[in-house]
Amino acid sequence: MNFENKELKDLLESIRYVYGYDFTDYAEASVRRRILHFMAYKKIEALDEFGKMIVRDEKLFEEFIQVVSVTVTEMFRDPSFYKSLRENVMKRLATYPFIKIWVAGCATGEEVYSIAILLKEEGILNRSVIYATDINQKSLQIAKEGVYAVENMKSHTANYQKAGGIESFSDYYKAKYNSVMFDKSLKQNIVFSPHNLAVDKSFNEFQFIICRNVLIYFNQQLQNKVINLFYESLCTFGFLGLGSKESLLFSEKRKKFEETDRKEKIFIKTE
Amino acid sequence: MLGEKIKYKAIVIGASAGGLLALSTLLEIIPSNYAIPIIIVQHRSKEPRGLLEEILQSKCNVKIKQVDEKEKIENGIVYIAPPDYHLLIENDFTFSLSVDEPIRFSRPSIDVLFESAATAYKGNLIGIILTGTNNDGMLGIQSIAANNGLTIVQEPEEARFPTMPLAAIHTKKVKHILTLAEIQTFLLEINTD
Ligand SMILES: C[S@@+](CC[C@H](N)C(=O)[O-])C[C@H]1O[C@@H](n2cnc3c(N)ncnc32)[C@H](O)[C@@H]1O
């Protein structure tokens, strides 16, 4: 089973019309793949049948959101990125009396707690606020609770150490049965909230924006639009951190940033 | 020659354990002005980031390049999927990357590349499965065949690890089972057309 681009566009267009969620400028190959899987799992045979069902059935749409928004994440993903933050970004952030950070597309929150740990170790968490946003409300709920499976902690701890962490990582959480809960002190200054990068506007001014492994799911046009949104939302000399394979290549604002760490995709807004 | 008289527009190759040697054997005979792109998923660990590309480049004339996100696919380049990302081909012949969950422990996954390539290139695609210890590529080979592309598998007896070639052959959708030397000849033959 497969379908043409036009059919896919029509489906995404009707979802946008009915629910206000705009996936029309997502990179097609990945959306196509996830829709095909979802249809197979739901035993729906044809795309037009699926289209008719999804605009009528809000529950089905909610399930669909879980499928198209890829929730895969980990703590200190790409440890060298976080190491570079320690070395190149934290000291600069520390010069501000009050620090505002936006983690866009935070999924289930592992990345947010990683950033909070860096801020804490730098001694600046208490004067920081982290806004953590995503379109997926279920993921945000998990992020807010900060409760994770214990079996992932081994690799998270290894990542933390590779990222230059020298504290005892287990001090940051309490283990209970098969899960761990991150410390309240880390959560205090985090605000979790829904925000859709494809349709919602800028809502504050930040010294640091992190958006990793979200832009890869967008086409060039939407990437450009979202980088514009970040540009508007950053103060001058604010930092932008992207995923290891993402870049500003397709952004009309690329000349307005300089590379703080080319390899780790950390940029600074210079004008 | 082995292929029908079709103008092939791209070659996708999937390799796992033992793949480095097989890939360098195939690629070292490819001229730098090769007529179509060659796109490769080699199962690899997360780090170090560019080692595979460096090793292959040191042995080959043709340009070897790790894929960049949204890059336009060009003829005469061998593209390698980056570690820890799935590689997909868009219908406008650009690349996309994704961090969707690993599939049967693999990211990049051969199936993900092959299925999206089959959608984009339809019958103008050649898919090749080389040595490996798992069954990644089984679904991809079926997709390529369903779109009338050409499917080739390395002769399992020759492969360092036969499991992956055997799994592909098991689908009954494989057109040719060839040794590396025969695949070399084939790759050069389609280049002269
Ligand atoms: C692969 S995860 C990345 C998680 C984390 N940033 C990381 O790098 O590990 C992609 C996240 O982007 C979110 N996302 C997708 N489209 C979005 C949009 N339009 N606005 C905000 N978030 C979006 C998804 O819900 C998902 O949580």
Side-chain angles (χ1 to χ4, degrees):
Chain A
M1 226 290 294
N2 213 325
F3 41 80
E4 295 303 314
N5 283 18
K6 170 87 172 64
E7 297 173 84
L8 179 61
K9 278 267 179 243
D10 288 348
L11 172 81
L12 299 177
E13 198 54 60
S14 51
I15 287 176
R16 188 177 71 92
Y17 184 76
V18 175
Y19 296 106
Y21 279 82
D22 190 353
F23 298 109
T24 56
D25 280 325
Y26 279 44
E28 273 166 16
S30 175
V31 175
R32 170 190 302 274
R33 188 178 171 83
R34 296 193 82 87
I35 290 178
L36 283 171
H37 276 234
F38 187 62
M39 286 170 59
Y41 162 69
K42 287 281 165 191
K43 302 202 167 55
I44 302 168
E45 309 242 308
L47 192 72
D48 57 344
E49 185 193 347
F50 177 61
K52 280 181 201 141
M53 287 167 78
I54 198 150
V55 294
R56 280 199 223 114
D57 184 347
E58 210 172 326
K59 279 246 159 58
L60 187 69
F61 176 69
E62 268 161 31
E63 277 183 74
F64 174 72
I65 290 278
Q66 300 308 311
V67 174
V68 280
S69 73
V70 179
T71 58
V72 183
T73 186
E74 57 186 277
M75 292 195 79
F76 296 95
R77 183 188 175 121
D78 307 318
S80 53
F81 172 80
Y82 288 89
K83 197 156 190 222
S84 182
L85 291 186
R86 278 187 202 278
E87 289 160 5
N88 301 309
V89 176
M90 287 298 148
K91 293 273 178 309
R92 301 278 283 275
L93 290 181
T95 63
Y96 293 97
F98 180 56
I99 303 152
K100 282 185 287 182
I101 298 175
W102 179 13
V103 182
C106 68
T108 43
E110 284 84 338
E111 192 180 37
V112 189
Y113 290 106
S114 309
I115 298 285
I117 287 169
L118 288 195
L119 293 168
K120 185 165 180 148
E121 294 186 355
E122 200 64 37
I124 53 177
L125 181 61
N126 52 5
R127 52 192 169 94
S128 305
V129 176
I130 309 174
Y131 295 84
T133 63
D134 203 281
I135 46 167
N136 186 326
Q137 306 255 15
K138 259 202 185 136
S139 295
L140 280 174
Q141 192 54 40
I142 295 170
K144 209 176 276 182
E145 281 158 15
V147 177
Y148 301 108
V150 77
E151 61 259 29
N152 294 335
M153 292 319 283
K154 213 170 137 191
S155 78
H156 290 168
T157 307
N159 280 356
Y160 167 76
Q161 286 161 352
K162 278 190 219 156
I166 49 168
E167 306 296 322
S168 148
F169 192 58
S170 57
D171 287 351
Y172 290 117
Y173 59 82
K174 287 195 186 64
K176 202 174 177 190
Y177 306 110
N178 293 323
S179 46
V180 306
M181 183 185 230
F182 274 85
D183 199 70
K184 274 211 190 69
S185 68
L186 292 174
K187 281 187 220 179
Q188 257 165 13
N189 299 359
I190 308 175
V191 180
F192 293 98
S193 152
H195 181 281
N196 186 338
L197 291 167
V199 295
D200 294 334
K201 301 232 154 50
S202 174
F203 59 95
N204 213 323
E205 194 180 80
F206 303 94
Q207 283 99 21
F208 185 23
I209 297 176
I210 300 122
C211 182
R212 308 193 74 219
N213 301 309
V214 182
L215 294 178
I216 46 172
Y217 291 98
F218 299 166
N219 69 17
Q220 293 181 14
Q221 209 179 322
L222 184 54
Q223 287 190 359
N224 182 48
K225 182 173 153 182
V226 173
I227 298 290
N228 282 346
L229 172 69
F230 291 158
Y231 179 82
E232 278 167 40
S233 311
L234 276 172
C235 66
T236 312
F237 304 120
F239 292 96
L240 175 64
L242 301 179
S244 65
K245 291 299 284 180
E246 292 165 332
S247 71
L248 296 178
L249 220 59
F250 308 114
S251 160
E252 63 204 38
K253 294 285 192 292
R254 67 182 176 279
K255 299 241 163 65
K256 298 182 184 291
F257 287 91
E258 269 171 32
E259 289 167 337
T260 298
D261 185 334
R262 183 196 185 90
K263 195 168 146 281
E264 299 304 335
K265 307 296 161 70
I266 301 168
F267 303 88
I268 184 165
K269 172 174 160 176
T270 48
E271 61 174 275
Chain B
M1 75 171 266
L2 295 167
E4 292 113 71
K5 283 281 165 224
I6 292 177
K7 189 92 188 88
Y8 292 109
K9 291 191 180 141
I11 300 168
V12 288
I13 302 179
S16 187
L20 181 58
L21 188 61
L23 283 173
S24 58
T25 307
L26 284 186
L27 296 177
E28 66 192 8
I29 56 113
I30 300 290
S32 58
N33 61 349
Y34 198 65
I36 56 177
I38 300 177
I39 304 154
I40 297 172
V41 163
Q42 159 72 57
H43 291 161
R44 60 198 297 190
S45 60
K46 281 191 198 177
E47 300 148 299
R49 275 182 187 151
L51 202 56
L52 175 63
E53 290 78 2
E54 279 170 35
I55 295 173
L56 287 174
Q57 189 64 79
S58 70
K59 300 185 170 162
C60 301
N61 291 320
V62 64
K63 180 173 174 192
I64 311 275
K65 183 173 187 311
Q66 187 177 111
V67 168
D68 281 320
E69 208 259 325
K70 297 290 182 302
E71 183 171 19
K72 185 133 191 63
I73 301 173
E74 285 178 27
N75 293 332
I77 297 183
V78 174
Y79 295 98
I80 316 267
D84 213 25
Y85 287 86
H86 291 302
L87 176 60
L88 300 97
I89 296 177
E90 298 286 342
N91 287 353
D92 64 359
F93 308 114
T94 57
F95 288 114
S96 281
L97 299 174
S98 97
V99 291
D100 289 26
E101 43 289 276
I103 297 176
R104 280 175 269 113
F105 308 106
S106 298
R107 188 170 64 199
S109 142
I110 299 168
D111 283 335
V112 171
L113 171 66
F114 279 24
E115 287 176 349
S116 65
T119 305
Y121 287 105
K122 303 271 169 8
N124 304 109
L125 180 69
I126 299 168
I128 305 176
I129 293 288
L130 303 175
T131 165
T133 50
N134 53 55
N135 59 8
D136 194 7
M138 265 179 99
L139 298 174
I141 281 288
Q142 294 177 67
S143 258
I144 293 176
N147 282 283
N148 303 314
L150 181 70
T151 52
I152 297 175
V153 166
Q154 183 184 9
E155 169 61 62
E157 290 199 1
E158 178 203 66
R160 174 97 168 75
F161 297 98
T163 315
M164 205 160 82
L166 285 171
I169 292 166
H170 203 74
T171 64
K172 301 202 167 60
K173 300 291 179 195
V174 171
K175 181 92 189 260
H176 303 297
I177 300 169
L178 305 175
T179 63
L180 289 178
E182 289 166 332
I183 300 175
Q184 282 181 331
T185 310
F186 171 75
L187 293 178
L188 292 178
E189 256 174 26
I190 58 167
N191 195 40
T192 58
D193 276 9

